[in-house]
């Protein structure tokens, strides 16, 4: 904040699939399946605070919370381990 000695990191996370594109599905003319992994991964970080009136929204919100907490903890631990004498 203004006139303080405190700073905080703002982390912006983006979900990516482990496999970007399924060439086998594409070559078998299953075009939408070829990019399903990418679409599902991007759903996690595309829009925050989805409508959770329905089950699907609640499930997406839970997956988002897990993803963001996990990513933040992994980053925190990575930074902690990098510093010597800890």
């Amino acid at each position: 904040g203004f006139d303080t000695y405190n700073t905080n990191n703002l982390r912006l996370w983006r979900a990516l699939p482990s496999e970007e594109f399924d060439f086998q599905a594409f070559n078998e003319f299953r075009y939408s399946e070829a990019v399903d992994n990418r679409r599902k991964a991007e759903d996690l970080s595309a829009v925050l605070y989805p409508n959770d009136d329905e089950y699907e929204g609640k499930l997406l919100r839970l997956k988002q919370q897990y993803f963001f907490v996990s990513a933040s903890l992994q980053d925190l631990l990575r930074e902690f381990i990098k510093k010597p004498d800890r």
Side-chain angles (χ1 to χ4, degrees):
F2 177 73
D3 202 24
T4 68
Y5 296 103
N6 300 325
T7 60
N8 291 314
N9 291 328
L10 173 64
R11 291 176 174 86
L12 302 174
W13 301 115
R14 186 176 100 185
L16 296 173
S18 57
E19 183 181 320
E20 291 278 331
F21 189 80
D22 185 348
F23 285 103
Q24 183 174 350
F26 185 81
N27 287 334
E28 294 171 0
F29 308 104
R30 295 178 286 133
Y31 303 118
S32 60
E33 280 182 47
V35 294
D36 266 352
N37 286 340
R38 181 171 188 81
R39 194 169 333 150
K40 288 177 185 176
E42 288 175 346
D43 284 349
L44 285 177
S45 57
V47 176
L48 295 179
Y49 308 114
N51 182 348
D52 61 359
D53 291 340
E54 302 291 327
Y55 176 79
E56 290 79 10
K58 289 181 187 338
L59 186 60
L60 178 57
R61 177 83 62 108
L62 182 63
K63 288 178 181 180
Q64 284 181 332
Q65 289 171 348
Y66 181 86
F67 169 74
F68 289 120
V69 168
S70 174
S72 297
L73 285 173
Q74 289 178 57
D75 185 54
L76 186 138
L77 289 171
R78 182 182 54 82
E79 289 295 319
F80 179 81
I81 290 169
K82 277 186 359 184
K83 296 187 179 179
D85 302 325
R86 294 234 177 184

